[in-house]
Amino acid sequence: MSSDKIQVKPGRVNGLNSNYRSGAYRLPKYCKNEIFVVFRNNRDLAARKQKKVGTSTQDKRESVINGFFSDLFFLKYKIKSIYHLKQKHLTAVFNFLEEQGQSPATIQNKISIMRVFCGWLGKNGMVLDSTLYVKDKSSVRRSMVAKEDKSWDGNGIDVLTKFPEIRKFDETVSVILELCWAFGLRVKEALMLRPAIAYEGEFIWVREGTKGGRPRVIHIQNDIQRDVLERAKEISDKKTGFIGQRGKTYTQKCSRFYYVMKVCGITLSESHITAHGLRHQYMQERFKQLFGIDAPVKGGDLSQIDKDEFHLGSMKLSEEAGHTRVTIGASYYGSRRRRTQSKEDVCILDKQDPEKEDIETIPEVEEVQA
């Protein structure tokens, strides 16, 4: 296999594919102790709203904060206390991560977490706009609009052919993947689903494993969904209701799941797909059912759809996927917004068609900063 085919995007998942991993440099004991005390007293506080964050967010924060100070000491900034943190330290670390090729989403996320942490230190307002801590503004600018098709069929993988291959190796993992495809579930939601309890006749209640603890209803609309649900119930533990063998922890189930993914070649490096790509495929298929055209990321022309109709349909799809923001749907199936034609393009078109007086420009793709 050529190097071009196995190449993956730098920093695709938390900087794991970049050249440098944060946290490798050992922190002094006094620094670790100070971070521990501050984190212990604030770890579950949300950034703005009067609510508590989940354990996964807490773990992410702890990892990023420790990694930041590890990078700071790696760069030879020997601060005597975390309370001595200054603007130059933030700039030095994030310039360094930018040079190491970490993705815009990763750097932006780390800046956001450090903004929260500085608030805990009594330094509210210290962390300014993200663009001030990098040399290239695009290093912290990420788009929420899908510019590439991450679905399995969009990458040449036929699910009806691939699932039987996985089923021969591990039936439980195959069923979990099929649930992701048939109902648009996240991997965690599928792993924690209790089919017999979730099933309500004409719909399923997705409760465990949801993002932000937000439950949702997904209506059963076809025989494929019913077949997958029945097979999921058959392999579920009769006492706990969870899919798979009794006694396995969530961590153990995750380890097994991703091991099977690797063995079956379902990785970004080998086949350019992930399990999450099935959720993308579900959303794109539902988009076509709802609007009657292919998703924009597959080449669908949104000029055929009324703007208000598109907005209402997007609200429905976002709710179905477990999101509150309407705009998040564009991450799965694309957007009605396209790039503005450049002046060079206009000049070329003018030369090709001298009689054409006006060239309609289309609004630029929206760039969203978290």
Side-chain angles (χ1 to χ4, degrees):
M1 184 178 292
S2 66
S3 59
D4 293 338
K5 291 185 178 181
I6 63 174
Q7 195 173 26
V8 293
K9 293 184 176 181
R12 181 79 183 236
V13 182
N14 193 27
L16 297 182
N17 297 323
S18 63
N19 298 324
Y20 176 79
R21 293 285 300 278
S22 294
Y25 191 88
R26 187 174 180 179
L27 286 173
K29 191 173 181 179
Y30 69 86
C31 185
K32 291 181 67 175
N33 289 341
E34 285 185 335
I35 294 173
F36 173 78
V37 172
V38 173
F39 194 77
R40 181 187 60 191
N41 296 332
N42 301 277
R43 63 179 298 155
D44 62 347
L45 299 179
R48 297 181 184 88
K49 298 179 181 179
Q50 296 298 317
K51 66 173 187 178
K52 294 184 177 181
V53 300
T55 54
S56 60
T57 300
Q58 295 175 31
D59 293 341
K60 176 70 175 178
R61 285 175 170 179
E62 186 173 18
S63 174
V64 168
I65 293 166
N66 280 288
F68 174 88
F69 284 100
S70 172
D71 293 341
L72 189 63
F73 278 88
F74 174 78
L75 294 172
K76 309 301 181 184
Y77 287 90
K78 307 293 185 181
I79 59 174
K80 300 299 182 182
S81 169
I82 61 174
Y83 291 92
H84 294 169
L85 191 64
K86 298 179 180 178
Q87 291 287 350
K88 66 177 182 180
H89 301 136
L90 295 165
T91 302
V93 171
F94 293 122
N95 274 189
F96 174 68
L97 296 181
E98 178 187 23
E99 292 170 0
Q100 298 306 312
Q102 293 201 359
S103 72
T106 300
I107 297 176
Q108 175 67 262
N109 183 260
K110 290 183 176 183
I111 293 175
S112 297
I113 290 176
M114 288 306 299
R115 184 176 288 114
V116 173
F117 182 71
C118 286
W120 296 347
L121 297 179
K123 296 176 180 285
N124 288 304
M126 175 180 170
V127 181
L128 306 175
D129 189 86
S130 302
T131 57
L132 300 175
Y133 301 108
V134 291
K135 296 176 181 177
D136 181 2
K137 291 184 179 181
S138 65
S139 295
V140 290
R141 186 177 292 121
R142 53 183 176 178
S143 173
M144 299 302 290
V145 178
K147 297 179 182 178
E148 60 175 314
D149 192 348
K150 298 178 183 178
S151 65
W152 284 27
D153 61 354
N155 285 276
I157 305 296
D158 181 5
V159 294
L160 298 180
T161 301
K162 193 66 177 178
F163 286 154
E165 294 178 13
I166 301 169
R167 196 175 301 135
K168 291 179 181 178
F169 190 84
D170 191 307
E171 184 181 9
T172 299
V173 171
S174 175
V175 167
I176 290 169
L177 286 171
E178 290 178 67
L179 286 168
C180 294
W181 170 57
F183 293 97
L185 302 183
R186 301 178 178 92
V187 172
K188 185 175 182 180
E189 292 169 345
L191 281 166
M192 299 185 69
L193 186 72
R194 293 189 282 180
I197 297 174
Y199 180 61
E200 296 286 352
E202 296 302 317
F203 60 87
I204 62 170
W205 264 104
V206 183
R207 298 179 179 90
E208 289 94 350
T210 58
K211 196 169 186 178
R214 186 172 181 264
R216 69 184 185 278
V217 168
I218 302 177
H219 290 277
I220 300 173
Q221 304 177 60
N222 54 58
D223 292 335
I224 292 177
Q225 290 175 313
R226 292 186 180 89
D227 174 65
V228 174
L229 198 57
E230 287 300 321
R231 287 189 287 112
K233 287 194 286 187
E234 289 175 5
I235 64 171
S236 298
D237 180 75
K238 304 307 177 186
K239 289 190 175 181
T240 64
F242 291 108
I243 298 173
Q245 296 179 350
R246 191 190 313 171
K248 297 290 184 181
T249 65
Y250 173 73
T251 302
Q252 290 172 325
K253 289 180 180 179
C254 275
S255 297
R256 175 63 182 179
F257 178 83
Y258 287 108
Y259 168 75
V260 175
M261 293 295 94
K262 186 175 181 180
V263 170
C264 295
I266 306 174
T267 62
L268 283 174
S269 59
E270 187 167 341
S271 53
H272 302 287
I273 59 171
T274 64
H276 196 68
L278 291 169
R279 182 168 158 89
H280 282 255
Q281 187 160 326
Y282 171 85
M283 291 289 283
Q284 292 169 15
E285 290 172 353
R286 287 287 294 124
F287 183 95
K288 188 170 184 177
Q289 291 171 9
L290 196 61
F291 296 112
I293 64 171
D294 285 332
V297 76
K298 289 187 181 296
D301 182 8
L302 287 180
S303 64
Q304 302 175 35
I305 306 173
D306 177 74
K307 185 177 180 180
D308 292 334
E309 180 188 351
F310 178 74
H311 180 74
L312 290 173
S314 296
M315 287 177 62
K316 182 176 181 180
L317 291 174
S318 294
E319 286 288 331
E320 195 171 310
H323 290 287
T324 54
R325 291 177 295 160
V326 179
T327 54
I328 204 68
S331 299
Y332 297 100
Y333 47 73
S335 171
R336 67 184 300 114
R337 303 191 181 194
R338 298 183 183 178
R339 293 187 182 280
T340 305
Q341 288 176 307
S342 65
K343 293 181 179 179
E344 292 78 4
D345 291 337
V346 173
C347 292
I348 292 171
L349 286 172
D350 281 336
K351 291 177 182 179
Q352 291 175 345
D353 189 0
E355 297 180 1
K356 188 172 181 65
E357 296 179 359
D358 297 313
I359 296 176
E360 181 181 358
T361 57
I362 307 172
E364 188 177 357
V365 172
E366 182 183 16
E367 297 289 349
V368 181
Q369 290 190 15

